[in-house]
Amino acid sequence: MTSQTLMTTRNSEDVTELWNRSVREVERCAGVVLGQPLAEHLVMTLRSYIADTELCRIVAREFLPTYLQSDSEALIRVAGRCLLITGLFPALAKRRNVKVGYFFEIGVGSYHAHANYWNARGRKGYAQCSKTAAERFLDLVETLRGMRGSPVTAEEIEALTTPDLKWN
């Protein structure tokens, strides 16, 4: 192993540990208990998408074809971006004149579709993680908002808990 590879691995481990500590601290402060699988998923999502310069691109264009074709990787990418926009960057959505509830609905739908994809293939563990993420999307959003120190507003909670679309 070269010294550059070793340094990259250590930096990667340090970043992961930093995200893990942040999630645990925010869970404690917000009174939210995600549990290990959901917390690990949140850390993985944060690490994967935090540098995405096109985070707020039109999600429906990506979601609908992947939903219909059951593209597992694309579904989880859409879900992750929607989670980050809803939780960390709601102002980005507002600047683009898109309601945060839109990203909530698409994110929940993507997690459900991802769960259905893996459930149909007998991979219950993958399916359960995505199903839990869909069911606890608001908890994930509150955890991310806690990282920024900005709570979910009453107006957003109304929009987030009564989506127009119904998912299985």
Side-chain angles (χ1 to χ4, degrees):
M1 184 179 291
T2 67
S3 61
Q4 185 175 8
T5 304
L6 183 59
M7 185 177 291
T8 302
T9 302
R10 284 186 183 152
N11 287 342
S12 177
E13 290 169 359
D14 291 345
V15 169
T16 300
E17 183 52 35
L18 179 64
W19 281 119
N20 279 318
R21 282 196 316 266
S22 296
V23 167
R24 284 192 305 267
E25 177 65 20
V26 173
E27 277 182 296
R28 187 184 62 73
C29 292
V32 174
V33 179
L34 297 177
Q36 184 178 356
L38 207 50
E40 287 175 3
H41 172 72
L42 183 58
V43 168
M44 182 187 72
T45 301
L46 287 163
R47 293 208 55 223
S48 297
Y49 297 103
I50 205 66
D52 188 346
T53 58
E54 295 185 14
L55 188 64
C56 200
R57 64 185 165 264
I58 300 174
V59 176
R61 284 189 191 159
E62 204 170 333
F63 170 69
L64 292 175
T66 60
Y67 181 75
L68 297 173
Q69 296 170 359
S70 295
D71 181 345
S72 170
E73 289 183 33
L75 286 168
I76 204 68
R77 279 194 311 269
V78 169
R81 277 202 318 278
C82 288
L83 177 59
L84 292 180
I85 292 166
T86 307
L88 288 178
F89 308 112
L92 181 61
K94 290 177 187 173
R95 281 197 306 269
R96 305 242 173 138
N97 293 318
V98 178
K99 292 184 179 185
V100 175
Y102 163 82
F103 292 103
F104 182 88
E105 291 176 19
I106 299 294
V108 169
S110 294
Y111 277 125
H112 273 298
H114 191 257
N116 291 339
Y117 174 89
W118 287 112
N119 201 34
R121 285 155 180 78
R123 302 293 300 266
K124 304 295 184 201
Y126 287 140
Q128 186 57 49
C129 183
S130 290
K131 182 177 184 248
T132 302
E135 292 169 349
R136 300 200 50 211
F137 198 86
L138 185 57
D139 288 338
L140 291 166
V141 168
E142 287 177 338
T143 302
L144 290 173
R145 290 286 177 94
M147 287 181 170
R148 291 189 60 121
S150 61
V152 179
T153 66
E155 176 184 294
E156 287 174 324
I157 289 173
E158 173 85 19
L160 299 179
T161 56
T162 56
D164 296 328
L165 301 175
K166 304 296 181 212
W167 304 98
N168 302 356

